[in-house]
Amino acid sequence: MNARTRFVSFAVLGVWLAAPAPAGAHRLDEYLQATRLSIDMERVGLEIDLTAGVGVASEVVAWIDANRDGQISSAEGERYARLMLDSLLLSVDGRPAPIRLDDIRFPHVHDMSLGVGTIRVRASARVPAAGAGRHRLSYFNTHHPESSVYLVNALVPADRRIQITAQRRDHAQHGLELDYDVMVDASWARTCSLLLAFAMGGVLVAARRPLAGGGTRM
């Protein structure tokens, strides 16, 4: 192996070691909380996946299974989901955005105890209609920080008028601060241009029209 080949091999190994581990490879003693945010003109969607490693699974089940019968009832699941959402902080343009629960799915307790079951929480927040210009969203997760690791990302907006311009996370990814621009609706811009053109045309016609009774014959 020549020097160039050795250099390339070590460079590839270094990049591989430096790359973050995938979400599914979290440590067995951690509670992985992965959040995906979606932004719309009047709504913020939250997709939160919670996966307990086998080392903390019994503790997480105990938080949810209040009567300790080894099963998670609908009432227990909803109670836990609402408590979890209460630990999230979400604001748009500096104004708090209350989060509501839309859906909750729990795996079987046996799967959770093996560290392979994922709790799926779906929630949303209604926000004032975003006008054209720059906006900022802030998100922070404070749910059980003593045993958790966090991931947070923003999805590409479905509405093409919304363009994400910057994302900033804290070191532990508890939170995300996101800047986005809302562009003017193209159809509305065309309508405004046509109205302005008609208005200018009317002004020009009025300016060229002779004044009534304003002429005299020689």
Side-chain angles (χ1 to χ4, degrees), residues 129-158:
R134 177 157 296 182
H135 299 273
R136 176 168 294 176
L137 177 149
S138 296
Y139 168 83
F140 200 79
N141 185 346
T142 66
H143 185 58
H144 285 291
E146 71 282 356
S147 56
S148 298
V149 291
Y150 305 87
L151 292 172
V152 57
N153 286 291
L155 300 176
V156 175

Side-chain angles (χ1 to χ4, degrees), residues 105-129:
R105 303 289 176 90
F106 280 89
H108 194 278
V109 170
H110 176 69
D111 292 336
M112 290 185 66
S113 68
L114 297 177
V116 296
T118 297
I119 303 168
R120 304 189 187 280
V121 180
R122 300 298 180 259
S124 61
R126 302 296 298 181
V127 298

Side-chain angles (χ1 to χ4, degrees), residues 6-185:
R6 285 197 301 271
F7 174 79
V8 172
S9 299
F10 281 118
V12 171
L13 178 61
V15 170
W16 180 78
L17 291 173
H26 67 286
R27 287 169 44 182
L28 301 181
D29 59 348
E30 295 174 337
Y31 189 27
L32 176 63
Q33 304 186 40
T35 302
R36 296 177 296 279
L37 300 169
S38 58
I39 303 172
D40 206 339
M41 300 297 286
E42 300 183 33
R43 178 183 179 276
V44 176
L46 299 93
E47 301 177 5
I48 307 168
D49 292 345
L50 310 168
T51 307
V54 66
V56 295
S58 60
E59 182 181 10
V60 173
V61 170
W63 297 338
I64 307 167
D65 181 19
N67 62 8
R68 304 295 190 269
D69 66 350
Q71 297 183 0
I72 298 174
S73 67
S74 297
E76 289 172 333
E78 183 173 338
R79 171 185 169 276
Y80 174 74
R82 294 189 184 280
L83 285 174
M84 189 271 164
L85 293 179
D86 285 343
S87 67
L88 307 181
L89 304 175
L90 179 68
S91 66
V92 176
D93 294 335
R95 292 186 293 271
I99 302 171
R100 70 178 186 187
L101 176 64
D102 293 333
D103 188 41
I104 177 74
R105 303 289 176 90
F106 280 89
H108 194 278
V109 170
H110 176 69
D111 292 336
M112 290 185 66
S113 68
L114 297 177
V116 296
T118 297
I119 303 168
R120 304 189 187 280
V121 180
R122 300 298 180 259
S124 61
R126 302 296 298 181
V127 298
R134 177 157 296 182
H135 299 273
R136 176 168 294 176
L137 177 149
S138 296
Y139 168 83
F140 200 79
N141 185 346
T142 66
H143 185 58
H144 285 291
E146 71 282 356
S147 56
S148 298
V149 291
Y150 305 87
L151 292 172
V152 57
N153 286 291
L155 300 176
V156 175
D159 192 326
R160 294 185 178 182
R161 292 174 295 174
I162 301 174
Q163 301 291 326
I164 295 175
T165 58
Q167 298 186 53
R168 295 173 294 278
R169 299 169 180 80
D170 66 311
H171 177 70
Q173 293 204 47
H174 282 268
L176 171 69
E177 191 173 72
L178 184 150
D179 294 334
Y180 62 98
D181 289 339
V182 174
M183 313 304 291
V184 176
D185 190 327

